């Protein structure tokens, strides 16, 4: 009888050790899978631009690679509403005269300062006011230097920069 009790005890102890060991390994394996899937998004260029009540972007230059997927996010960190201090980002086609474009755009109030059927624009965000954020996604065009600006009346002089595609 004694030997049977010892045997049962031994089997029970062995089962507990095995089941505990097995449970510890499972969380580690699933963590590794999650980390690998995060790495796959490295190819997208995430561009963050902020704008404020002092009529300024935080960047004068944006760099991406030709054919790269770009996610451009514009944040307005000021508090004035978009009728007073609205901002957008307009990226112009190569060779477009930015001064002429800004003058045309300033007259397009009912269309949030984006000239209808314009042949001068590559990409643009919507117009936002203080506290708002907007994003656009596009594929970077061929290599070259393009201009970006805010098309709200009077902002172009301060709010412009270079969109460089390498
Ligand atoms: Cu602006």
């Amino acid at each position: 009888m004694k030997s049977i009790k010892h045997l049962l005890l031994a089997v029970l102890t062995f089962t507990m050790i095995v089941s505990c060991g097995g449970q510890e390994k499972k969380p580690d394996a699933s963590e590794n899978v999650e980390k690998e899937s995060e790495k796959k998004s490295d190819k997208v260029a995430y561009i963050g631009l902020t704008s404020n009540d002092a009529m300024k972007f935080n960047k004068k230059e944006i760099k991406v690679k030709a054919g790269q997927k770009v996610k451009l996010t514009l944040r307005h960190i000021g508090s004035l509403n978009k009728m007073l201090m609205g901002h957008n980002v307009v990226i112009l086609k190569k060779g477009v005269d930015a001064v002429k474009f800004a003058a045309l755009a300033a007259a397009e109030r009912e269309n949030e300062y984006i000239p209808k059927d314009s042949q001068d624009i590559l990409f643009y965000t919507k117009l936002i006011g203080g506290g708002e954020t907007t994003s656009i996604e596009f594929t970077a065009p061929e290599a070259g230097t393009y201009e970006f600006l805010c098309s709200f009346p009077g902002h172009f002089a301060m709010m412009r920069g270079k969109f460089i595609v390498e």
Side-chain angles (χ1 to χ4, degrees):
M1 283 295 280
K2 268 188 183 176
S3 64
I4 290 172
K5 272 187 187 171
H6 281 146
L7 188 70
L8 276 173
L9 206 71
V11 169
L12 212 73
T13 312
F14 179 73
T15 311
M16 280 168 75
I17 290 167
V18 168
S19 62
C20 282
Q23 276 173 351
E24 274 172 24
K25 278 181 185 172
K26 278 178 189 170
D28 289 347
S30 62
E31 266 176 33
N32 285 339
V33 171
E34 277 169 27
K35 276 175 193 166
E36 272 173 29
S37 66
E38 276 172 26
K39 283 178 193 166
K40 284 179 186 168
S41 59
D42 282 354
K43 286 178 183 173
V44 179
Y46 292 97
I47 309 293
L49 256 187
T50 65
S51 53
N52 59 21
D53 288 343
M55 231 189 282
K56 275 183 180 167
F57 285 130
N58 66 330
K59 284 181 183 142
K60 287 270 172 202
E61 210 177 90
I62 297 170
K63 273 188 187 173
V64 297
K65 292 193 170 77
Q68 189 175 27
K69 282 213 167 144
V70 180
K71 184 169 182 182
L72 173 72
T73 300
L74 173 68
R75 277 204 307 147
H76 190 319
I77 58 173
S79 58
L80 295 173
N81 75 50
K82 76 175 179 182
M83 300 308 289
L84 286 171
M85 187 56 71
H87 300 310
N88 61 13
V89 179
V90 180
I91 301 174
L92 298 175
K93 286 184 184 169
K94 231 188 270 181
V96 170
D97 185 331
V99 178
K100 273 188 190 167
F101 174 82
L104 275 173
E108 299 281 337
R109 188 176 177 194
E110 67 285 352
N111 201 32
E112 298 200 320
Y113 311 108
I114 298 296
K116 274 179 191 160
D117 307 318
S118 173
Q119 300 299 305
D120 298 336
I121 300 172
L122 272 181
F123 312 107
Y124 68 95
T125 71
K126 65 173 190 169
L127 190 74
I128 56 170
E132 294 181 314
T133 299
T134 188
S135 288
I136 51 168
E137 285 184 49
F138 57 86
T139 301
E142 56 168 30
T145 300
Y146 303 77
E147 288 203 73
F148 72 86
L149 59 104
C150 171
S151 68
F152 192 94
H155 289 197
F156 161 71
M158 303 264 293
M159 302 186 76
R160 60 189 295 192
K162 302 240 177 284
F163 181 75
I164 299 165
V165 184
E166 293 174 322

